[in-house]
Amino acid sequence: MNVLICISRVPDTATKIVVGSDGKTIDNQGVKFIINPYDEYAIEEGLRIKEKFGGSVTAVTVGSEQSSDILRTALAMGVEKATIIKAPEIFDSYFVAYNLAEYAKSIKPDIILLGRQSVDFDSFQIPSLLAGLIDYNLVTVVSKLTIDANKIICERDVEGGKEIVETNLPCIISAQKGLNEPRYPKLPDIMKAKSKPIEILEAKPTDLKMEVISMEIPMKQRIGKILSDSDEDINELVRLLHEEAKVI
Amino acid sequence: MQKIDYYNIDELFTIEEKLIRDSVSDFCDREIIPIISEHYRNATFPMGIIPKLAELGLFGITLPTEYGGSGANYTSYGLAMQELERGDSAIRSFVSVQNSLVMYPIFTYGTEEQRKKWLPKLAKGELIGCFGLTEPDYGSNPAGMITTAKHANGKFILNGSKMWITNGSIADIAVVWAKINDVVCGLIVEKDMRGFQTYEMKNKLSLRASITSELIFQDVEVPEENILNVKGLKGPLSCLNQARFGISWGAIGSAIAVYESALNYAKTRIQFDKPIASFQLIQEKLVWMLNEITKAQLIAYRLGRLMDEKKARPQQVSLAKRNNVRMALDCARISREIHGANGILDEYPVMRHAANLESVNTYEGTYDIHTLIIGEDITGFSAFR
Ligand SMILES: Cc1cc2nc3c(=O)[nH]c(=O)nc-3n(C[C@H](O)[C@H](O)[C@H](O)COP(=O)(O)OP(=O)(O)OC[C@H]3O[C@@H](n4cnc5c(N)ncnc54)[C@H](O)[C@@H]3O)c2cc1C
Ligand SMILES: Cc1cc2nc3c(=O)[nH]c(=O)nc-3n(C[C@H](O)[C@H](O)[C@H](O)COP(=O)(O)OP(=O)(O)OC[C@H]3O[C@@H](n4cnc5c(N)ncnc54)[C@H](O)[C@@H]3O)c2cc1C
């Protein structure tokens, strides 16, 4: 079973984001980048598939050459080969999906794993665009994956419950939290990853389908409500937490 | 990610060093911090963590892979110690002993047979080791040790006792330093050898999640093939040099833990209608900690590079151990103070680190002994012999 994992490089959720002087991009100065957290589940699942069924695991990212840092992590976790598809400074989701599709066509994986979304722009587009471009079956937001011969059984998180769906190869799976517990890269594997190659390809140009007009940091607005400790208000608080905040 | 990095020291590390640090850091957050308070309270070592530490490649970090090691450099070893001790000094102590005090001497002074026999199993965590140097009456002055071995009929007959031995009663093998014809030698003593007994030392108020034991040897017959090929105090001292290097990084981990806790606490604790972080005295304490941590990081970083280039002198290691451990201990005490009464609860990590660091300040050469080692180095006069 040959697995392709698509990884996205995103700012660490703990870093403070500053909008660049052009008002359209993030100022990268001092920002620490990490593997998109959902992609870690994709990597782990890919490694488990390989450990069970044999084959190979390749990781690919569309972005700048600096993405080698996150690919090193993937290699240290056990991925065998990693590729950067070098993109121009400005690109959109379609550009990424188009280039992933071209790459996938060249290596013809049995299964492509991605995170359910990239936590930087949250556009949720790549898995679906990719499936459309290369005509693979697609199951999104998967929290459990079972492979039984040619049958792929997926558990999906849906509003208030689980859905179980079945598909077959070749297919694209987007990973949800809970799919697995990603492994820590082991020290000897980190050292071994040093000699694993990172291939750098030029992206194939394609028209962008979307343009960022502007970007701004949301204003912090506190719209706190203060309730009393009367029985009525306590009931109201429970209702608000349930219906408005949707936290209970 | 480096937790505290006021001087962008992160940029100085290689990708592999950062990956190792981040991996051990995740491990600490997921496997050590959630369980450690309970073990501290109950004075138990979390035995379940041993296979996980082994799996991660933390036993034999700098040793070649052919013996089960990870083949990483000293800076990586230091960063791993930092992240482990951010959890608790007990876990770091365990790993220090296995790496620097057991695997290192077997690798450095062992025959090829000894290396092949012991190192892979120690790396996998199938065997646990301990290091017996200190005796009830000889701590800072190990040269005075009275544990002896006599060579007879192809064996060494070992008599004496060791005290304060980390991992002693859970160890499968002990690297024991004893005098043979008045010369300090190292022997590998196995758990089941007749006449060898261990007793756990109870009621410690520091390093409670670490096992500390007494080792007793009564006519223990150690086969000849278990002797290490080194003579004199330089044997054990070279091991201590390795461990001290790791401790100088580990201490930074403790300091980071207590600093982070103090900073968060100070920003959220309201007194006199304001966060206490807004008071000058609190800010001075926080700044002092950050400043000291940054200095310690630079010392450790530079020492790591010197170790990697095989240029570090033992006196330079002494300076790092002395400075960084005392710095961490002071940070822990100050952090405890900032936490007010909450600082004495085990809901916060500060009192645990403060108590642990009292041991760390004493073992592997006390603060004062390191002062005298450096003092001798710069003046040419020994003040302790
Ligand atoms: C939790 C724990 C774990 C340990 N684990 C191990 C282990 O695994 N293996 C092992 O072999 N040992 C271990 N030790 C022992 C440790 O290395 C010794 O405690 C340390 O070397 C100090 O020796 P001591 O306790 O006998 O103190 P002493 O040597 O009696 O020192 C007491 C005080 O006198 C000072 N002092 C001594 N000599 C001088 C001098 N000449 N001039 C000025 N001041 C002096 C010291 O600095 C200290 O403040 C451990 C200790 C602890 C607490
Ligand atoms: C074991 C124990 C027993 C106790 N027993 C009793 C008891 O019997 N009865 C009782 O009433 N209380 C008792 N206390 C509570 C004790 O008096 C308080 O803990 C103490 O007054 C400090 O208050 P705090 O813990 O809320 O710390 P905080 O007031 O929150 O102080 C936290 C830190 O902020 C600093 N700080 C606060 N304000 C300022 C400022 N304006 N400028 C600069 N720094 C500031 C403090 O010095 C401290 O370092 C007990 C506490 C303990 C630990």
Side-chain angles (χ1 to χ4, degrees):
Chain A
M1 186 96 59
N2 293 329
V3 184
L4 174 64
I5 300 162
C6 307
I7 315 184
S8 162
R9 183 176 187 258
V10 300
D12 189 331
T13 40
T15 42
K16 243 214 213 117
I17 298 298
V18 178
V19 175
S21 53
D22 62 356
K24 292 181 186 184
T25 51
I26 292 173
D27 182 358
N28 283 353
Q29 190 69 33
V31 175
K32 150 108 184 163
F33 287 90
I34 57 167
I35 294 186
N36 177 37
Y38 290 106
D39 300 351
E40 289 189 15
Y41 303 111
I43 298 173
E44 178 63 36
E45 202 62 21
L47 294 172
R48 290 185 190 189
I49 291 171
K50 185 200 112 175
E51 281 156 9
K52 201 157 162 201
F53 301 101
S56 69
V57 188
T58 306
V60 62
T61 186
V62 178
S64 74
E65 264 178 87
Q66 274 138 24
S67 306
S68 62
D69 56 358
I70 57 156
L71 291 180
R72 284 273 161 232
T73 308
L75 291 169
M77 284 173 82
V79 167
E80 286 140 324
K81 201 191 133 199
T83 300
I84 298 173
I85 300 175
K86 233 170 79 184
E89 215 140 284
I90 308 265
F91 56 95
D92 64 0
S93 299
Y94 180 77
F95 183 93
V96 175
Y98 174 78
N99 273 285
L100 290 177
E102 290 300 304
Y103 185 71
K105 280 182 202 162
S106 74
I107 67 162
K108 297 189 177 55
D110 302 297
I111 184 160
I112 302 178
L113 292 159
L114 314 84
R116 58 170 267 190
Q117 85 204 70
S118 218
V119 301
D120 49 0
F121 293 106
D122 290 322
S123 57
F124 284 86
Q125 294 191 19
I126 308 294
S128 314
L129 286 173
L130 183 57
L133 287 165
I134 57 170
D135 202 18
Y136 272 35
N137 296 332
L138 168 70
V139 187
T140 55
V141 200
V142 172
S143 53
K144 189 170 173 213
L145 181 71
T146 319
I147 301 180
D148 185 3
N150 221 355
K151 257 198 302 188
I152 309 290
I153 301 145
C154 306
E155 241 178 70
R156 304 185 61 245
D157 284 357
V158 291
E159 193 64 48
K162 296 256 176 224
E163 180 190 40
I164 297 181
V165 301
E166 199 184 299
T167 184
N168 43 27
L169 295 174
C171 68
I172 298 175
I173 304 289
S174 83
Q176 163 72 318
K177 188 172 183 219
L179 178 61
N180 51 47
E181 174 106 355
R183 64 193 66 187
Y184 318 102
K186 297 178 191 130
L187 271 60
D189 293 342
I190 292 172
M191 297 314 293
K192 260 183 251 154
K194 216 174 156 172
S195 53
K196 290 185 187 173
I198 293 182
E199 174 189 44
I200 298 176
L201 301 176
E202 289 299 328
K204 293 192 181 162
T206 176
D207 290 340
L208 303 187
K209 309 277 181 196
M210 186 200 75
E211 187 195 338
V212 176
I213 306 294
S214 77
M215 209 182 259
E216 48 194 81
I217 301 285
M219 292 286 287
K220 248 196 208 160
Q221 257 179 0
R222 290 179 197 267
I223 40 165
K225 281 190 187 134
I226 297 177
L227 300 168
S228 77
D229 60 359
S230 69
D231 285 354
E232 256 163 72
D233 269 12
I234 290 171
N235 286 333
E236 176 63 5
L237 175 68
V238 173
R239 191 191 68 79
L240 288 173
L241 287 173
H242 185 64
E243 290 173 16
E244 282 194 12
K246 294 197 165 106
V247 291
I248 57 170
Chain B
M1 187 172 37
Q2 179 70 41
K3 305 267 170 186
I4 307 292
D5 189 13
Y6 208 67
Y7 263 36
N8 301 359
I9 299 166
D10 206 50
E11 292 174 10
L12 303 174
F13 296 117
T14 65
I15 257 192
E16 287 73 31
E17 288 162 353
K18 285 191 265 196
L19 280 172
I20 287 174
R21 180 197 59 211
D22 293 349
S23 196
V24 182
S25 178
D26 271 357
F27 179 85
C28 175
D29 290 336
R30 271 151 66 174
E31 308 281 351
I32 302 177
I33 290 174
I35 62 158
I36 200 63
S37 286
E38 200 183 328
H39 284 283
Y40 190 88
R41 234 177 280 146
N42 300 337
T44 49
F45 180 78
M47 296 297 286
I49 211 162
I50 298 172
K52 296 178 186 173
L53 293 165
E55 169 87 11
L56 196 54
L58 289 174
F59 300 150
I61 294 174
T62 57
L63 296 191
T65 46
E66 57 175 309
Y67 300 106
S70 291
N73 64 4
Y74 277 99
T75 302
S76 301
Y77 173 59
L79 286 164
M81 296 304 112
Q82 170 187 300
E83 292 309 315
L84 291 174
E85 197 147 2
R86 196 167 57 73
D88 193 273
S89 303
I91 310 294
R92 201 272 306 135
S93 297
F94 184 97
V95 178
S96 282
V97 170
Q98 189 87 346
N99 273 275
S100 295
L101 302 182
V102 178
M103 296 179 76
Y104 172 80
I106 294 176
F107 177 73
T108 311
Y109 306 119
T111 60
E112 196 52 33
E113 286 75 46
Q114 288 170 338
R115 289 174 169 191
K116 288 216 173 89
K117 178 170 180 189
W118 304 109
L119 293 176
K121 287 187 180 145
L122 287 160
K124 288 203 192 89
E126 290 165 11
L127 293 179
I128 298 169
C130 70
F131 176 89
L133 177 66
T134 306
E135 299 184 359
D137 294 325
Y138 297 92
S140 299
N141 178 25
M145 69 170 71
I146 51 175
T147 297
T148 52
K150 284 204 170 67
H151 200 184
N153 306 326
K155 292 182 190 115
F156 293 100
I157 314 294
L158 181 64
N159 277 291
S161 67
K162 297 286 172 182
M163 212 160 127
W164 297 109
I165 307 308
T166 302
N167 298 347
S169 33
I170 54 170
D172 301 286
I173 63 169
V175 172
V176 177
W177 301 94
K179 280 182 181 162
I180 302 177
N181 298 327
D182 254 6
V183 180
V184 174
C185 294
L187 293 164
I188 302 169
V189 180
E190 299 167 47
K191 170 173 78 177
D192 299 325
M193 288 181 172
R194 258 186 53 190
F196 175 29
Q197 279 174 311
T198 63
Y199 299 95
E200 190 179 336
M201 300 174 67
K202 301 277 191 188
N203 307 329
K204 300 201 305 288
L205 298 179
S206 164
L207 272 187
R208 286 180 59 77
S210 172
I211 305 287
T212 314
S213 318
E214 207 177 335
L215 315 181
I216 312 276
F217 312 101
Q218 268 181 317
D219 293 325
V220 182
E221 296 186 3
V222 184
E224 263 174 348
E225 71 243 29
N226 281 21
I227 192 164
L228 294 172
N229 183 25
V230 61
K231 286 201 165 58
L233 218 50
K234 82 166 208 289
L237 292 185
S238 67
C239 302
L240 295 176
N241 199 50
Q242 302 276 312
R244 288 165 181 170
F245 167 75
I247 292 169
S248 69
W249 286 83
I252 297 171
S254 285
I256 288 173
V258 297
Y259 168 77
E260 281 194 320
S261 186
L263 182 62
N264 290 334
Y265 190 83
K267 288 205 278 203
T268 50
R269 172 69 178 168
I270 311 284
Q271 285 295 290
F272 305 100
D273 303 323
K274 283 190 212 153
I276 57 170
S278 65
F279 299 125
Q280 292 181 356
L281 285 174
I282 297 283
Q283 290 189 1
E284 192 278 335
K285 291 183 172 80
L286 292 169
V287 170
W288 188 89
M289 287 194 264
L290 175 67
N291 194 157
E292 289 303 313
I293 290 170
T294 303
K295 288 194 268 183
Q297 285 174 323
L298 290 168
I299 289 181
Y301 168 78
R302 178 64 191 144
L303 186 64
R305 289 288 176 253
L306 288 173
M307 289 287 285
D308 284 326
E309 291 161 15
K310 298 195 166 51
K311 291 198 299 214
R313 297 165 56 235
Q315 293 85 346
Q316 292 173 319
V317 177
S318 283
L319 188 115
K321 194 271 180 185
R322 175 183 184 275
N323 180 76
N324 291 10
V325 175
R326 176 57 64 90
M327 158 312 276
L329 179 56
D330 288 340
C331 284
R333 288 170 177 162
I334 291 170
S335 171
R336 219 285 315 134
E337 206 172 6
I338 292 175
H339 285 76
N342 274 321
I344 72 163
L345 295 178
D346 75 357
E347 198 185 318
Y348 296 90
V350 293
M351 192 79 179
R352 180 165 51 79
H353 279 292
N356 282 341
L357 288 162
E358 293 290 346
S359 287
V360 183
N361 195 49
T362 286
Y363 72 23
E364 297 279 346
T366 67
Y367 178 85
D368 285 345
I369 291 294
H370 287 300
T371 307
L372 302 180
I373 290 171
I374 305 161
E376 180 183 12
D377 190 40
I378 59 176
T379 66
F381 300 113
S382 168
F384 58 101
R385 271 191 273 261

